[in-house]
């Protein structure tokens, strides 16, 4: 459903599913406490976690926990690669709703996209539970028309182009004292 940006943000705050462009593929999002709606809409298995996306790194730190030394390491990576196509999987704080990662609620994937519209929306809604817009196992949808056809109840913004790079983010998991690449996307960590 194509609507104005103000209505999209209001719908997001009310717990509806929205979509917006990102630097990778269009995102499907809702407030974290309503994340189960994404699993239902996408027919997604609960063993596939969602990503918590925010407008700025500072909006995401309360959702992770680590030592002072780990925060320093994580901040260095964030300073180098964010905003951008890098998702960091870090130890989750008790602020993260279990439904964000039902199979392993001890971790959470976080990301700040490099897209001005996505960040403007997230700045007003706060961090959102996100994933690509598609039925589980199918390729990501790339246009508003495709999204509206597949997900008529998902709110989309009427005046913006949705096409991103078409390549998902790189996913790097912090494991004790190093990074493990879980999915190689458009960002190369080095």
């Amino acid at each position: 459903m194509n609507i104005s940006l103000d209505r999209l943000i209001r719908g997001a705050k009310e717990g509806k599913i929205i979509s917006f462009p990102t630097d990778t593929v269009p995102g499907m999002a809702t407030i974290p406490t309503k994340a189960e709606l994404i699993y239902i809409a996408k027919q997604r298995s609960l063993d596939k976690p969602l990503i918590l996306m925010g407008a700025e790194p500072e909006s995401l730190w309360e959702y992770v926990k680590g030592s002072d030394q780990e925060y320093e390491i994580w901040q260095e990576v964030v300073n180098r690669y964010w905003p951008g196509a890098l998702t960091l999987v870090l130890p989750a704080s008790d602020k993260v709703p279990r439904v964000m990662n039902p199979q392993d609620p001890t971790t959470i994937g976080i990301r700040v996209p490099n897209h001005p519209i996505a960040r403007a929306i997230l700045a007003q809604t706060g961090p959102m539970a996100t994933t690509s817009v598609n039925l589980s196992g199918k390729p990501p949808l790339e246009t508003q028309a495709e999204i509206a056809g597949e997900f008529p109840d998902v709110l989309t913004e009427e005046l913006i182009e949705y096409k991103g790079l078409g390549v998902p983010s790189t996913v790097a998991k912090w494991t004790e004292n190093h990074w493990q690449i879980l999915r190689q996307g458009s960002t190369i960590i080095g």
Side-chain angles (χ1 to χ4, degrees), residues 37-115:
L37 297 175
I38 290 177
Y39 285 98
I40 293 165
K42 287 186 57 138
Q43 302 169 16
R44 184 180 176 101
S45 168
L46 292 175
D47 64 351
K48 295 182 176 182
L50 300 176
I51 294 170
L52 191 65
M53 200 175 279
E56 300 292 336
E58 296 75 23
S59 68
L60 297 169
W61 289 131
E62 67 187 277
Y63 295 94
V64 299
K65 65 178 181 185
S67 68
D68 289 344
Q69 183 180 10
E70 287 174 318
Y71 275 106
E72 281 183 36
I73 293 167
W74 302 340
Q75 188 66 54
E76 285 176 18
V77 171
V78 163
N79 290 345
R80 184 168 178 195
Y81 295 103
W82 282 0
L86 175 63
T87 299
L88 300 178
V89 179
L90 302 174
S93 75
D94 57 7
K95 270 200 79 139
V96 178
R98 182 180 180 93
V99 70
M100 290 288 300
N101 191 354
Q103 293 293 86
D104 183 8
T106 66
T107 65
I108 183 68
I110 60 173
R111 178 161 108 81
V112 174
N114 190 14
H115 194 289

Side-chain angles (χ1 to χ4, degrees), residues 67 76 80 102 111 131 156 162-164 167 184:
S67 68
E76 285 176 18
R80 184 168 178 195
R111 178 161 108 81
T131 184
T156 58
Y162 267 57
K163 196 143 174 93
V167 179
Q184 186 61 62

Side-chain angles (χ1 to χ4, degrees), residues 5-26:
L5 185 58
D6 287 341
R7 283 190 58 206
L8 181 93
I9 290 166
R10 191 167 51 250
K13 289 178 178 180
E14 293 169 356
K16 294 184 168 78
I17 299 176
I18 68 167
S19 70
F20 52 79
T22 76
D23 48 339
T24 56
V25 296

